[in-house]
Amino acid sequence: MPRPLITDLSSADLAAWCLAQGDRSFRAQQIRRWIYGKRAMGFSEMHDVPGALRTALEEQFDYFGGAVVRHQKSKDGTEKLLLELRDGEQVECVLMREDDRRTVCISTQVGCAMGCVFCASGLMGVKRNLSTGEILDQILRLDRLLSGEERITNVVLMGMGEPLANLKHVLPALETLNEKGGLGLGARRITISTVGLPEKIRELAAHGTPFNLAISLHAPEDELRTRIVPVNARIGVEAILSAADDYFAATGRRVTYEYCLLAGTNDDPAEARRLAGLLRERNAHVNVIPMNPVAAVAWETPSEPRTEAFVEALRRGGINVTVRKRKGADIDAACGQLRLSELQRTT
Ligand code: SF4
């Protein structure tokens, strides 16, 4: 068993640990400031923490949870890291730069059990959940790529894995991102992307913090959706929409529906009209994502006119819609691609 990561500890846990070492609880805030604010690369840099406490930190915790095994940089400023965890598993995370936004996209599991047909992460199933520290560790690594004045402005849980299937570790990580002694990011700057697990959506709503919720719908009716997102066979579109309505009612946060456009599969304007019919009466936003080509899966990006026709049909249906720009097109930036290409290279 590897040692715990320092980022596995909540502020309360760390304060209790400091007390147990015979020191004062305020040391926890000092330590967290070094981790989340001052971009320390290890315990030895924490100059205002007493030597005995730093030694205890070194002895009992690991500072980083993963080594960077690949680092790709795109011409558009996007950077992608492949991290090797302490048990040899690999996860990916991405930093995207756009105007004054610095958005990081992180993973929550090794692999994914949801099996979306267009996704490299789902190809080999799920191996395990990431710990809270392993989730936060990706953010620390990406944060250290930023220059002095740059700060992370947004976090999206859209990397490998289904975040709501690992809510036990995801929620404490989100709390650290949200709280002042952590990264201090407002809830509206944190987005959780899910295929739509109704019970877990309600659990998240009960937590009470109005994080952004993005539901990967990809189809307006069950037969088509189950072909694209196989786990839908056990859930169904109606149950997802009902849970999303509950989320909106509990948090007041408008729900986003992600729609990955796959040429010849779900890109017919008739599907857009059906989707508009489902969402028109809801306070919803649709984010259309033209398929990011993945070498290992045989799905294609629709042509631009086809994408425009789909978007136009949604707009005519009274839906608020945006089209996601592709970032990092010259690197393996689609979810799970970098891990997959590394596995293929080494096996
Ligand atoms: S798209 Fe997301 S939910 Fe679907 S298989 Fe990939 S990682 Fe899992």
Side-chain angles (χ1 to χ4, degrees):
M1 278 286 285
R3 296 186 300 178
L5 289 173
I6 189 65
T7 41
D8 279 319
L9 272 60
S10 68
S11 59
D13 292 341
L14 191 54
W17 180 83
C18 290
L19 286 174
Q21 304 307 305
D23 210 308
R24 311 270 295 280
S25 60
F26 76 87
R27 298 288 181 204
Q29 293 314 320
Q30 276 180 313
I31 295 166
R32 281 163 73 85
R33 212 171 299 131
W34 281 104
I35 299 170
Y36 298 106
K38 298 190 195 172
R39 296 179 174 158
M41 295 301 285
F43 298 118
S44 60
E45 291 178 24
M46 301 180 177
H47 305 306
D48 54 0
V49 175
L53 204 59
R54 265 186 304 180
T55 304
L57 285 167
E58 300 269 12
E59 285 170 357
Q60 296 183 40
F61 300 102
D62 281 345
Y63 191 82
F64 286 118
V68 178
V69 289
R70 280 176 76 183
H71 180 182
Q72 294 187 328
K73 294 183 191 181
S74 163
K75 290 196 280 272
D76 66 13
T78 301
E79 297 187 52
K80 184 162 192 171
L81 297 179
L82 182 67
L83 299 178
E84 184 157 304
L85 306 176
R86 294 170 299 166
D87 62 357
E89 295 296 351
Q90 295 182 337
V91 291
E92 308 176 359
C93 52
V94 186
L95 163 69
M96 290 162 282
R97 293 178 166 92
E98 190 167 26
D99 304 325
D100 54 356
R101 284 160 76 101
R102 300 290 176 270
T103 303
V104 298
C105 175
I106 56 171
S107 300
T108 52
Q109 296 182 305
V110 178
C112 186
M114 302 298 128
C116 305
V117 290
F118 53 83
C119 172
S121 291
L123 283 178
M124 283 166 291
V126 66
K127 290 245 181 131
R128 68 172 175 86
N129 286 334
L130 296 186
S131 75
T132 297
E134 287 171 330
I135 294 167
L136 289 168
D137 193 57
Q138 299 165 62
I139 293 174
L140 299 194
R141 286 292 190 181
L142 294 168
D143 186 52
R144 272 55 172 178
L145 301 179
L146 297 173
S147 65
E149 330 68 67
E150 287 182 302
R151 287 280 173 264
I152 290 174
T153 59
N154 298 75
V155 173
V156 295
L157 276 59
M158 276 185 198
M160 288 167 52
E162 163 54 57
L164 297 190
N166 184 17
L167 209 47
K168 180 175 163 219
H169 295 128
V170 165
L171 269 179
L174 296 185
E175 281 162 8
T176 292
L177 293 178
N178 191 216
E179 67 196 16
K180 283 233 157 23
L183 226 58
L185 283 180
R188 64 172 58 245
R189 294 178 177 275
I190 300 170
T191 301
I192 302 155
S193 171
T194 175
V195 294
L197 308 179
E199 287 316 306
K200 297 291 177 181
I201 290 174
R202 293 192 174 95
E203 211 177 311
L204 186 66
H207 181 262
T209 313
F211 299 113
N212 294 317
L213 183 68
I215 296 181
S216 301
L217 203 62
H218 310 321
E221 21 84 26
D222 282 326
E223 194 273 323
L224 178 57
R225 186 167 196 263
T226 300
R227 273 200 277 141
I228 300 170
V229 185
V231 74
N232 184 65
R234 291 191 270 121
I235 306 170
V237 171
E238 207 181 305
I240 294 171
L241 295 181
S242 155
D245 291 345
D246 291 349
Y247 189 82
F248 176 67
T251 63
R253 185 71 85 218
R254 181 176 74 170
V255 174
T256 295
Y257 292 89
E258 308 272 347
Y259 198 104
C260 181
L261 269 189
L262 307 168
T265 302
N266 64 352
D267 61 342
D268 194 305
E271 302 297 350
R273 288 190 286 276
R274 269 187 215 115
L275 184 61
L278 282 184
L279 300 182
R280 195 174 298 122
E281 301 302 320
R282 296 182 152 94
N283 194 346
H285 174 93
V286 174
N287 194 15
V288 172
I289 311 158
M291 167 74 187
N292 204 350
V294 176
V297 296
W299 301 86
E300 287 176 11
T301 315
S303 66
E304 268 185 40
R306 186 84 170 160
T307 301
E308 278 163 25
F310 189 90
V311 169
E312 189 49 32
L314 277 176
R315 288 207 172 111
R316 282 216 191 111
I319 301 297
N320 234 307
V321 48
T322 47
V323 181
R324 188 187 299 165
K325 286 188 210 153
R326 273 184 72 194
K327 301 288 289 175
D330 53 335
I331 59 176
D332 295 326
C335 167
Q337 254 182 300
L338 187 56
R339 171 173 171 255
L340 189 68
S341 70
E342 181 67 12
L343 276 172
Q344 286 166 339
R345 196 179 65 80
T346 54
T347 54

